[in-house]
Amino acid sequence: MLRNAIVRRPTNLLDDFFNDEFFLPSLPSQNHIDVYQEGKDYIVEVDLPGYKKEEINVKYDQDLLTISAEHKEEKNEDNKRYVYRSRSTSSFTRQIRFNNIDAKAIDANFTEGVLKVVLPIHNGEVEAKQIEVK
């Protein structure tokens, strides 16, 4: 007969304190994406709460729209002796394939935590473009 055994290593007060759920990393939140067609445009909306406009990168190359974002946060208080310090980093990358897009006319706007990318449908030749997020 098998029994489950719980093995507990000797701990000290600091180990117990920092192993508390408060200090454990949280699961990454899912960034919701909506893709729809409106008239002669495809619209991509991505929820990116907590990111700044400068941290978002949008690129269209060879029928592939790439949206990425990276946020780093570090708090420094130089007047303290640290026993524990925490840094926060979050990143997001998503690629979506589109055909027949007018790359020169792609527009991206970031407002209140939502990125909206407008991709005009085009039947001619396409080329790569880095898109400025407004």
Side-chain angles (χ1 to χ4, degrees):
M1 183 164 116
L2 294 172
R3 292 186 178 209
N4 292 333
I6 298 175
V7 178
R8 185 169 170 99
R9 63 179 175 82
T11 61
N12 62 38
L13 180 60
L14 287 176
D15 286 339
D16 288 339
F17 180 73
F18 291 117
N19 286 327
D20 187 82
E21 287 182 13
F22 177 78
F23 290 101
L24 294 176
S26 60
L27 294 174
S29 62
Q30 183 153 3
N31 301 86
H32 297 283
I33 296 179
D34 293 329
V35 180
Y36 56 93
Q37 186 173 353
E38 189 174 84
K40 294 186 178 188
D41 298 330
Y42 289 116
I43 310 293
V44 178
E45 292 181 337
V46 184
D47 291 346
L48 294 170
Y51 289 96
K52 297 175 186 165
K53 179 178 75 168
E54 301 80 29
E55 299 170 328
I56 300 170
N57 185 29
V58 180
K59 183 178 181 182
Y60 184 77
D61 188 17
Q62 297 182 2
D63 294 341
L64 195 61
L65 175 70
T66 302
I67 299 170
S68 60
E70 185 173 9
H71 175 73
K72 293 181 182 179
E73 183 176 323
E74 182 174 342
K75 294 182 182 179
N76 289 324
E77 294 179 28
D78 294 332
N79 60 349
K80 294 187 178 185
R81 289 177 36 176
Y82 289 99
V83 175
Y84 179 80
R85 268 177 66 167
S86 179
R87 288 142 196 90
S88 172
T89 301
S90 60
S91 64
F92 169 84
T93 301
R94 187 67 182 261
Q95 294 183 315
I96 306 168
R97 187 165 303 280
F98 290 94
N99 292 322
N100 302 323
I101 299 298
D102 182 2
K104 293 179 183 177
I106 295 174
D107 187 45
N109 190 1
F110 185 66
T111 306
E112 296 181 10
V114 178
L115 174 67
K116 182 177 181 178
V117 182
V118 179
L119 300 113
I121 299 171
H122 180 64
N123 292 326
E125 190 174 312
V126 296
E127 57 188 64
K129 182 184 179 192
Q130 180 70 33
I131 296 105
E132 177 187 352
V133 178
K134 299 174 190 168

